[in-house]
mmCIF file of all heavy atoms in Angstrom:
data_model
loop_
_atom_site.group_PDB
_atom_site.id
_atom_site.type_symbol
_atom_site.label_atom_id
_atom_site.label_comp_id
_atom_site.label_asym_id
_atom_site.label_seq_id
_atom_site.Cartn_x
_atom_site.Cartn_y
_atom_site.Cartn_z
ATOM 1 N N ALA A 68 34.948 -6.086 -35.478
ATOM 2 C CA ALA A 68 34.491 -6.328 -34.087
ATOM 3 C C ALA A 68 33.017 -6.000 -33.949
ATOM 4 O O ALA A 68 32.272 -6.742 -33.307
ATOM 5 C CB ALA A 68 35.315 -5.511 -33.121
ATOM 6 N N VAL A 69 32.573 -4.893 -34.552
ATOM 7 C CA VAL A 69 31.148 -4.518 -34.508
ATOM 8 C C VAL A 69 30.307 -5.592 -35.184
ATOM 9 O O VAL A 69 29.254 -5.990 -34.697
ATOM 10 C CB VAL A 69 30.938 -3.143 -35.156
ATOM 11 C CG1 VAL A 69 29.474 -2.853 -35.386
ATOM 12 C CG2 VAL A 69 31.555 -2.048 -34.314
ATOM 13 N N GLY A 70 30.784 -6.101 -36.317
ATOM 14 C CA GLY A 70 30.069 -7.147 -37.026
ATOM 15 C C GLY A 70 29.949 -8.411 -36.204
ATOM 16 O O GLY A 70 28.890 -9.072 -36.166
ATOM 17 N N ILE A 71 31.021 -8.785 -35.516
ATOM 18 C CA ILE A 71 30.987 -9.988 -34.676
ATOM 19 C C ILE A 71 30.002 -9.794 -33.532
ATOM 20 O O ILE A 71 29.255 -10.701 -33.202
ATOM 21 C CB ILE A 71 32.401 -10.330 -34.168
ATOM 22 C CG1 ILE A 71 33.211 -10.913 -35.318
ATOM 23 C CG2 ILE A 71 32.350 -11.316 -33.009
ATOM 24 C CD1 ILE A 71 34.647 -11.202 -34.986
ATOM 25 N N LEU A 72 29.963 -8.609 -32.958
ATOM 26 C CA LEU A 72 29.059 -8.351 -31.849
ATOM 27 C C LEU A 72 27.597 -8.248 -32.284
ATOM 28 O O LEU A 72 26.710 -8.715 -31.600
ATOM 29 C CB LEU A 72 29.456 -7.059 -31.127
ATOM 30 C CG LEU A 72 30.716 -7.119 -30.291
ATOM 31 C CD1 LEU A 72 31.090 -5.718 -29.800
ATOM 32 C CD2 LEU A 72 30.539 -8.067 -29.129
ATOM 33 N N LEU A 73 27.354 -7.660 -33.445
ATOM 34 C CA LEU A 73 25.966 -7.390 -33.848
ATOM 35 C C LEU A 73 25.404 -8.356 -34.876
ATOM 36 O O LEU A 73 24.215 -8.680 -34.831
ATOM 37 C CB LEU A 73 25.862 -5.954 -34.393
ATOM 38 C CG LEU A 73 26.232 -4.835 -33.419
ATOM 39 C CD1 LEU A 73 26.107 -3.479 -34.101
ATOM 40 C CD2 LEU A 73 25.385 -4.896 -32.165
ATOM 41 N N LEU A 74 26.214 -8.785 -35.848
ATOM 42 C CA LEU A 74 25.676 -9.600 -36.934
ATOM 43 C C LEU A 74 25.902 -11.100 -36.757
ATOM 44 O O LEU A 74 25.069 -11.906 -37.169
ATOM 45 C CB LEU A 74 26.276 -9.163 -38.261
ATOM 46 C CG LEU A 74 25.901 -7.771 -38.752
ATOM 47 C CD1 LEU A 74 26.547 -7.478 -40.104
ATOM 48 C CD2 LEU A 74 24.395 -7.603 -38.848
ATOM 49 N N ALA A 75 27.020 -11.496 -36.162
ATOM 50 C CA ALA A 75 27.298 -12.927 -36.022
ATOM 51 C C ALA A 75 26.222 -13.673 -35.229
ATOM 52 O O ALA A 75 25.860 -14.776 -35.586
ATOM 53 C CB ALA A 75 28.664 -13.138 -35.403
ATOM 54 N N PRO A 76 25.662 -13.079 -34.158
ATOM 55 C CA PRO A 76 24.592 -13.794 -33.427
ATOM 56 C C PRO A 76 23.326 -14.016 -34.265
ATOM 57 O O PRO A 76 22.522 -14.872 -33.925
ATOM 58 C CB PRO A 76 24.291 -12.875 -32.240
ATOM 59 C CG PRO A 76 25.534 -12.098 -32.022
ATOM 60 C CD PRO A 76 26.101 -11.890 -33.394
ATOM 61 N N LEU A 77 23.164 -13.266 -35.342
ATOM 62 C CA LEU A 77 21.995 -13.483 -36.186
ATOM 63 C C LEU A 77 21.975 -14.878 -36.798
ATOM 64 O O LEU A 77 20.926 -15.383 -37.164
ATOM 65 C CB LEU A 77 21.955 -12.446 -37.323
ATOM 66 C CG LEU A 77 21.567 -11.042 -36.960
ATOM 67 C CD1 LEU A 77 21.658 -10.126 -38.186
ATOM 68 C CD2 LEU A 77 20.167 -11.000 -36.374
ATOM 69 N N GLY A 78 23.158 -15.502 -36.914
ATOM 70 C CA GLY A 78 23.233 -16.856 -37.461
ATOM 71 C C GLY A 78 22.431 -17.883 -36.695
ATOM 72 O O GLY A 78 22.020 -18.899 -37.254
ATOM 73 N N ASP A 79 22.170 -17.614 -35.407
ATOM 74 C CA ASP A 79 21.360 -18.537 -34.597
ATOM 75 C C ASP A 79 19.877 -18.124 -34.594
ATOM 76 O O ASP A 79 19.055 -18.830 -34.063
ATOM 77 C CB ASP A 79 21.874 -18.592 -33.167
ATOM 78 C CG ASP A 79 23.118 -19.409 -33.027
ATOM 79 O OD1 ASP A 79 23.359 -20.271 -33.894
ATOM 80 O OD2 ASP A 79 23.866 -19.205 -32.059
ATOM 81 N N MET A 80 19.576 -16.963 -35.184
ATOM 82 C CA MET A 80 18.195 -16.464 -35.144
ATOM 83 C C MET A 80 17.500 -16.547 -36.502
ATOM 84 O O MET A 80 16.264 -16.619 -36.546
ATOM 85 C CB MET A 80 18.184 -15.019 -34.667
ATOM 86 C CG MET A 80 18.642 -14.852 -33.242
ATOM 87 S SD MET A 80 18.528 -13.138 -32.777
ATOM 88 C CE MET A 80 20.125 -12.887 -32.076
ATOM 89 N N VAL A 81 18.236 -16.466 -37.577
ATOM 90 C CA VAL A 81 17.638 -16.524 -38.914
ATOM 91 C C VAL A 81 18.327 -17.648 -39.705
ATOM 92 O O VAL A 81 19.301 -18.234 -39.259
ATOM 93 C CB VAL A 81 17.810 -15.171 -39.663
ATOM 94 C CG1 VAL A 81 17.096 -14.057 -38.932
ATOM 95 C CG2 VAL A 81 19.264 -14.832 -39.876
ATOM 96 N N ARG A 82 17.801 -17.921 -40.886
ATOM 97 C CA ARG A 82 18.409 -18.947 -41.711
ATOM 98 C C ARG A 82 19.801 -18.527 -42.150
ATOM 99 O O ARG A 82 19.974 -17.449 -42.724
ATOM 100 C CB ARG A 82 17.548 -19.237 -42.939
ATOM 101 C CG ARG A 82 16.287 -19.944 -42.588
ATOM 102 C CD ARG A 82 15.502 -20.278 -43.825
ATOM 103 N NE ARG A 82 14.327 -21.018 -43.438
ATOM 104 C CZ ARG A 82 13.812 -21.955 -44.165
ATOM 105 N NH1 ARG A 82 14.332 -22.253 -45.344
ATOM 106 N NH2 ARG A 82 12.762 -22.592 -43.769
ATOM 107 N N ARG A 83 20.755 -19.367 -41.904
ATOM 108 C CA ARG A 83 22.150 -19.028 -42.198
ATOM 109 C C ARG A 83 22.411 -18.869 -43.679
ATOM 110 O O ARG A 83 23.174 -18.024 -44.092
ATOM 111 C CB ARG A 83 23.097 -20.089 -41.624
ATOM 112 C CG ARG A 83 23.350 -19.880 -40.188
ATOM 113 C CD ARG A 83 24.368 -20.870 -39.659
ATOM 114 N NE ARG A 83 24.212 -20.914 -38.211
ATOM 115 C CZ ARG A 83 23.374 -21.717 -37.609
ATOM 116 N NH1 ARG A 83 22.646 -22.562 -38.285
ATOM 117 N NH2 ARG A 83 23.275 -21.691 -36.294
ATOM 118 N N ARG A 84 21.788 -19.686 -44.496
ATOM 119 C CA ARG A 84 22.053 -19.642 -45.941
ATOM 120 C C ARG A 84 21.685 -18.269 -46.498
ATOM 121 O O ARG A 84 22.480 -17.653 -47.196
ATOM 122 C CB ARG A 84 21.258 -20.730 -46.654
ATOM 123 C CG ARG A 84 21.506 -20.766 -48.146
ATOM 124 C CD ARG A 84 20.703 -21.859 -48.805
ATOM 125 N NE ARG A 84 21.115 -23.135 -48.298
ATOM 126 C CZ ARG A 84 20.658 -24.299 -48.758
ATOM 127 N NH1 ARG A 84 19.742 -24.292 -49.702
ATOM 128 N NH2 ARG A 84 21.065 -25.423 -48.265
ATOM 129 N N GLY A 85 20.511 -17.792 -46.155
ATOM 130 C CA GLY A 85 20.100 -16.470 -46.623
ATOM 131 C C GLY A 85 20.961 -15.364 -46.047
ATOM 132 O O GLY A 85 21.308 -14.406 -46.735
ATOM 133 N N LEU A 86 21.320 -15.507 -44.773
ATOM 134 C CA LEU A 86 22.158 -14.502 -44.115
ATOM 135 C C LEU A 86 23.539 -14.437 -44.769
ATOM 136 O O LEU A 86 24.024 -13.342 -45.113
ATOM 137 C CB LEU A 86 22.319 -14.819 -42.627
ATOM 138 C CG LEU A 86 23.220 -13.877 -41.833
ATOM 139 C CD1 LEU A 86 22.637 -12.489 -41.781
ATOM 140 C CD2 LEU A 86 23.452 -14.431 -40.424
ATOM 141 N N VAL A 87 24.148 -15.581 -45.027
ATOM 142 C CA VAL A 87 25.473 -15.605 -45.637
ATOM 143 C C VAL A 87 25.416 -15.028 -47.052
ATOM 144 O O VAL A 87 26.265 -14.224 -47.453
ATOM 145 C CB VAL A 87 26.045 -17.037 -45.649
ATOM 146 C CG1 VAL A 87 27.279 -17.143 -46.525
ATOM 147 C CG2 VAL A 87 26.373 -17.467 -44.236
ATOM 148 N N LEU A 88 24.408 -15.409 -47.819
ATOM 149 C CA LEU A 88 24.267 -14.886 -49.177
ATOM 150 C C LEU A 88 24.081 -13.371 -49.179
ATOM 151 O O LEU A 88 24.668 -12.649 -49.991
ATOM 152 C CB LEU A 88 23.136 -15.570 -49.927
ATOM 153 C CG LEU A 88 23.390 -17.040 -50.293
ATOM 154 C CD1 LEU A 88 22.134 -17.650 -50.903
ATOM 155 C CD2 LEU A 88 24.575 -17.147 -51.234
ATOM 156 N N LEU A 89 23.264 -12.866 -48.247
ATOM 157 C CA LEU A 89 23.046 -11.439 -48.142
ATOM 158 C C LEU A 89 24.330 -10.714 -47.749
ATOM 159 O O LEU A 89 24.693 -9.691 -48.362
ATOM 160 C CB LEU A 89 21.950 -11.143 -47.137
ATOM 161 C CG LEU A 89 21.665 -9.663 -46.867
ATOM 162 C CD1 LEU A 89 21.087 -8.994 -48.101
ATOM 163 C CD2 LEU A 89 20.745 -9.482 -45.676
ATOM 164 N N LEU A 90 25.044 -11.223 -46.755
ATOM 165 C CA LEU A 90 26.283 -10.598 -46.316
ATOM 166 C C LEU A 90 27.322 -10.576 -47.452
ATOM 167 O O LEU A 90 27.999 -9.556 -47.670
ATOM 168 C CB LEU A 90 26.844 -11.320 -45.098
ATOM 169 C CG LEU A 90 26.055 -11.174 -43.798
ATOM 170 C CD1 LEU A 90 26.663 -12.041 -42.713
ATOM 171 C CD2 LEU A 90 25.991 -9.737 -43.344
ATOM 172 N N ILE A 91 27.440 -11.669 -48.166
ATOM 173 C CA ILE A 91 28.423 -11.722 -49.258
ATOM 174 C C ILE A 91 28.027 -10.798 -50.406
ATOM 175 O O ILE A 91 28.861 -10.095 -50.973
ATOM 176 C CB ILE A 91 28.626 -13.165 -49.731
ATOM 177 C CG1 ILE A 91 29.366 -13.951 -48.638
ATOM 178 C CG2 ILE A 91 29.407 -13.225 -51.038
ATOM 179 C CD1 ILE A 91 29.481 -15.428 -48.904
ATOM 180 N N ALA A 92 26.735 -10.749 -50.739
ATOM 181 C CA ALA A 92 26.284 -9.850 -51.803
ATOM 182 C C ALA A 92 26.501 -8.389 -51.420
ATOM 183 O O ALA A 92 26.967 -7.586 -52.264
ATOM 184 C CB ALA A 92 24.800 -10.099 -52.086
ATOM 185 N N LEU A 93 26.208 -8.024 -50.183
ATOM 186 C CA LEU A 93 26.444 -6.654 -49.749
ATOM 187 C C LEU A 93 27.928 -6.305 -49.711
ATOM 188 O O LEU A 93 28.337 -5.207 -50.112
ATOM 189 C CB LEU A 93 25.822 -6.411 -48.375
ATOM 190 C CG LEU A 93 24.293 -6.350 -48.339
ATOM 191 C CD1 LEU A 93 23.802 -6.288 -46.899
ATOM 192 C CD2 LEU A 93 23.780 -5.171 -49.130
ATOM 193 N N THR A 94 28.746 -7.279 -49.274
ATOM 194 C CA THR A 94 30.199 -7.051 -49.259
ATOM 195 C C THR A 94 30.720 -6.829 -50.670
ATOM 196 O O THR A 94 31.519 -5.915 -50.910
ATOM 197 C CB THR A 94 30.910 -8.245 -48.609
ATOM 198 O OG1 THR A 94 30.412 -8.409 -47.287
ATOM 199 C CG2 THR A 94 32.391 -8.049 -48.569
ATOM 200 N N ALA A 95 30.277 -7.637 -51.602
ATOM 201 C CA ALA A 95 30.719 -7.498 -53.002
ATOM 202 C C ALA A 95 30.290 -6.170 -53.591
ATOM 203 O O ALA A 95 31.044 -5.483 -54.285
ATOM 204 C CB ALA A 95 30.179 -8.667 -53.853
ATOM 205 N N THR A 96 29.051 -5.755 -53.306
ATOM 206 C CA THR A 96 28.543 -4.476 -53.822
ATOM 207 C C THR A 96 29.320 -3.312 -53.245
ATOM 208 O O THR A 96 29.710 -2.405 -53.994
ATOM 209 C CB THR A 96 27.045 -4.346 -53.482
ATOM 210 O OG1 THR A 96 26.327 -5.485 -53.999
ATOM 211 C CG2 THR A 96 26.473 -3.083 -54.047
ATOM 212 N N LEU A 97 29.564 -3.333 -51.940
ATOM 213 C CA LEU A 97 30.334 -2.245 -51.349
ATOM 214 C C LEU A 97 31.782 -2.261 -51.809
ATOM 215 O O LEU A 97 32.421 -1.191 -51.826
ATOM 216 C CB LEU A 97 30.252 -2.330 -49.817
ATOM 217 C CG LEU A 97 28.915 -1.952 -49.196
ATOM 218 C CD1 LEU A 97 28.934 -2.176 -47.691
ATOM 219 C CD2 LEU A 97 28.542 -0.527 -49.524
#
Side-chain angles (χ1 to χ4, degrees):
V69 168
I71 287 175
L72 288 172
L73 300 179
L74 294 181
L77 286 177
D79 284 337
M80 294 182 230
V81 298
R82 289 184 177 213
R83 278 185 200 87
R84 182 180 297 184
L86 177 65
V87 168
L88 290 175
L89 177 67
L90 291 175
I91 290 173
L93 289 172
T94 301
T96 304
L97 288 176

